């Protein structure tokens, strides 16, 4: 595969670049570079307006098929879009959970009615989503979810608690993994689960923020106490939740991360510029670590290209399975490097806040979306064909 841009790719790149350059000046100049990891609370209203601006100009959900409101971009152009978005320092996307997780799941598993109802507001930036998987007793061991949903008239009624629910405080809807039937066999706990689409703004849903290291609350506890959703809002059918939930996780760990990691280049540039300014770059150990960080990002880029070159069909090969583990480690090290370049200033909040937030938030990278240990199990079992972990 020729990894250089073709003439058509080049003109697509120009189109994205000029759209972003024009759009991110004027009213939207303030959102440039804001709202990324650790900065999620920044400028909510302006970023919501940005989300709608992107939607109105056809620049949300670019990888979705055209019939579902996307542009049907092949993976290669999808990456170009993300590269240009990162280069322009486009703001953290408020709609990313809907666009990268729920949308692709509905396209793969949803009914035509569900697709018609839920996809257009994601494309337009009108409805925000959150992911209701984890519970106090169910994280890596997701099949242990204890949230229950029972039919009552035309609705499902939910009781239970979710935790670590990112952006639940802004979300209009949550996709919830809930138990709708008891497991017949305790060794087959993934049976009897359903994937429900639940409105967040109703009595019976309580969102309690959890304060994080950064001092903000990117995630929350969510309590369902008699919350209701229509019987039709179950994706893949009652009892099919595990299959659908695993589909969502494959999207979470696969193509959606190809773009996210391009923002790391901007962070490394900021760290390098600081090291030049404050003299840290004179330290040979720091110089080596800056070089290692650069190499780590290049490896990520090359692995993304390798993944793409093996997948003209649009589905990701097994190379993609190392992506989450690798970027989480690289990004966490980048946060540590930022602290060491800041030196004593790392302990003082005096304007270098973005790098301090990078350090604090990147501690979570090796946990969410599947912890490093779980990713290693997945690579061992699914990519290398090693024996399954004893249960
Ligand atoms: C910033 C952030 C945002 C998040 N956002 C969301 C969200 O929006 N929605 C949502 O549903 N969840 C979210 N999560 C939760 C996340 O998915 C879980 O934290 C993660 O799945 C791990 O589960 P746990 O915290 O219960 O840890 P546990 O599963 O209890 O794991 C504890 C430790 O044991 C290890 N471990 C567990 N099982 C194995 C195994 N089989 N083999 C080897 N080691 C193992 C883990 O690697 C970890 O080190 C978020 C988490 C973070 C940090």
């Amino acid at each position: 595969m020729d990894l250089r841009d073709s003439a058509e790719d080049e003109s697509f790149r120009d189109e994205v670049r000029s759209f972003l350059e024009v759009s991110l000046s004027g009213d939207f100049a303030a959102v440039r570079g804001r709202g990324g990891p650790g900065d999620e609370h920044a400028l909510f209203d302006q970023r919501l307006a940005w989300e709608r601006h992107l939607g109105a100009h056809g620049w949300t959900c670019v990888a979705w098929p055209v019939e579902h409101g996307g542009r049907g971009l092949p993976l290669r152009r999808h990456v170009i879009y993300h590269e240009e978005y990162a280069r322009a320092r486009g703001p953290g996307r408020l709609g990313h959970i809907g666009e990268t997780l729920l949308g692709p799941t509905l396209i793969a598993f949803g009914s035509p009615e569900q697709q018609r109802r839920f996809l257009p507001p994601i494309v337009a930036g009108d409805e925000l989503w959150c992911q209701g998987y984890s519970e106090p007793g169910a994280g890596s061991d997701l099949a242990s979810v204890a949230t229950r949903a029972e039919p009552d008239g035309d609705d499902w009624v939910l009781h239970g608690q979710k935790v670590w629910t990112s952006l639940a405080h802004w979300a209009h809807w949550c996709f919830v993994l809930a138990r709708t039937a008891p497991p017949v066999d305790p060794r087959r706990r993934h049976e009897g689960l359903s994937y429900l689409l639940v409105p967040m703004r109703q009595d019976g849903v309580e969102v309690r923020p959890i304060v994080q290291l950064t001092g903000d609350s990117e995630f929350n506890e969510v309590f369902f106490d008699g919350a209701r959703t229509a019987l039709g809002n179950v994706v893949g059918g009652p009892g099919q939740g595990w299959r659908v939930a695993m589909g969502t996780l494959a999207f979470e760990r696969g193509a959606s991360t190809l773009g996210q990691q391009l923002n790391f280049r901007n962070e490394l540039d900021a760290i390098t510029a600081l090291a030049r300014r404050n003299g840290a770059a004179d330290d040979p150990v720091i110089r080596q670590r800056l070089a290692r960080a650069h190499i780590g990002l290049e490896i990520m880029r090359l692995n993304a290209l390798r993944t793409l070159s093996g997948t003209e069909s649009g589905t990701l090969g097994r190379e993609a399975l190392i992506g989450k583990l690798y970027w989480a480690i690289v990004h966490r090290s980048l946060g540590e490097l930022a602290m060491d370049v800041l030196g004593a200033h790392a302990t003082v909040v005096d304007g270098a806040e973005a790098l301090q937030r990078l350090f604090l938030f990147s501690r979570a990278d090796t946990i969410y979306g599947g912890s490093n240990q779980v990713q290693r199990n997945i690579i061992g079992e699914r990519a290398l064909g090693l024996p399954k972990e004893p249960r």
Side-chain angles (χ1 to χ4, degrees):
M1 183 187 188
D2 184 350
L3 297 176
R4 288 169 301 187
D5 281 357
S6 65
E8 294 78 27
D9 288 344
E10 192 57 47
S11 82
F12 174 73
R13 192 182 283 284
D14 288 344
E15 185 189 350
V16 179
R17 193 176 293 187
S18 53
F19 168 76
L20 290 172
E21 272 313 311
V22 172
S23 297
L24 283 168
S25 50
D27 286 351
F28 289 120
V31 297
R32 232 181 234 261
R34 300 305 307 274
D39 190 36
E40 291 82 4
H41 282 69
L43 306 173
F44 174 79
D45 291 336
Q46 292 95 318
R47 283 167 54 220
L48 189 59
W50 170 251
E51 195 70 24
R52 292 175 177 158
H53 176 80
L54 286 179
H57 291 83
W59 289 113
T60 55
C61 309
V62 291
W64 292 11
V66 174
E67 65 268 30
H68 293 305
R71 286 183 178 239
L73 292 187
L75 266 172
R76 188 185 168 107
R77 294 234 175 128
H78 193 191
V79 169
I80 292 176
Y81 172 76
H82 281 300
E83 280 174 351
E84 292 306 320
Y85 195 88
R87 195 191 313 272
R89 300 178 55 246
R93 293 278 313 279
L94 282 173
H96 71 99
I97 296 178
E99 173 168 334
T100 63
L101 304 187
L102 194 266
T105 304
L106 284 184
I107 291 168
F109 301 96
S111 66
E113 294 73 35
Q114 289 166 344
Q115 293 169 348
R116 270 196 299 276
R117 162 62 188 84
F118 292 110
L119 296 180
I122 296 175
V123 173
D126 285 337
E127 285 182 349
L128 305 178
W129 284 81
C130 62
Q131 177 180 26
Y133 279 19
S134 305
E135 298 185 1
S140 306
D141 182 16
L142 192 57
S144 294
V145 293
T147 294
R148 300 184 329 274
E150 286 160 2
D152 177 38
D154 294 336
D155 293 334
W156 294 99
V157 180
L158 287 89
H159 289 93
Q161 181 194 349
K162 297 291 174 182
V163 72
W164 322 128
T165 320
S166 298
L167 311 187
H169 48 296
W170 288 330
H172 302 89
W173 288 83
C174 183
F175 48 97
V176 175
L177 190 63
R179 183 155 291 288
T180 49
V184 180
D185 176 344
R187 284 166 304 177
R188 302 178 64 83
R189 286 171 303 139
H190 53 281
E191 293 175 356
L193 297 171
S194 298
Y195 192 104
L196 300 170
L197 310 177
V198 180
M200 291 292 283
R201 316 239 170 128
Q202 59 165 312
D203 293 341
V205 176
E206 188 191 345
V207 177
R208 289 188 205 157
I210 302 174
V211 179
Q212 288 162 273
L213 278 173
T214 52
D216 290 328
S217 303
E218 180 265 354
F219 56 34
N220 306 269
E221 295 177 290
V222 176
F223 295 86
F224 298 111
D225 185 11
R228 302 181 86 89
T229 193
L231 279 183
N233 287 339
V234 55
V235 183
Q240 297 301 311
W242 187 253
R243 190 172 63 94
V244 181
M246 291 303 106
T248 306
L249 281 183
F251 294 122
E252 184 168 13
R253 295 164 182 170
S256 75
T257 63
L258 291 177
Q260 176 191 2
Q261 50 197 237
L262 294 163
N263 294 314
F264 302 172
R265 168 66 53 195
N266 291 335
E267 292 165 346
L268 178 58
D269 288 348
I271 296 169
T272 308
L274 173 67
R276 287 207 172 99
R277 274 199 314 277
N278 75 1
D282 298 334
D283 177 334
V285 175
I286 293 284
R287 292 173 76 87
Q288 278 182 13
R289 288 174 62 196
L290 287 168
R292 207 176 304 138
H294 173 77
I295 291 166
L297 296 188
E298 274 303 291
I299 290 174
M300 258 167 36
R301 192 177 73 82
L302 292 171
N303 194 51
L305 292 172
R306 179 172 71 145
T307 306
L308 293 185
S309 66
T311 162
E312 294 294 357
S313 65
T315 45
L316 296 172
R318 65 179 191 163
E319 296 86 0
L321 293 176
I322 66 171
K324 165 72 191 22
L325 177 67
Y326 194 79
W327 76 247
I329 293 170
V330 166
H331 201 222
R332 192 180 55 183
S333 312
L334 204 56
E336 290 163 1
L337 177 58
M339 288 300 93
D340 291 335
V341 167
L342 276 166
H345 283 282
T347 57
V348 184
V349 178
D350 68 349
E353 221 186 313
L355 293 183
Q356 290 164 327
R357 283 170 177 273
L358 161 65
F359 168 69
L360 295 172
F361 198 85
S362 61
R363 309 314 294 171
D365 289 340
T366 55
I367 303 172
Y368 69 82
S371 70
N372 276 12
Q373 291 78 9
V374 166
Q375 294 304 318
R376 289 193 176 95
N377 281 350
I378 291 173
I379 292 167
E381 293 175 15
R382 296 193 207 153
L384 302 176
L386 297 175
K388 282 208 177 284
E389 176 189 25
R391 305 248 171 218

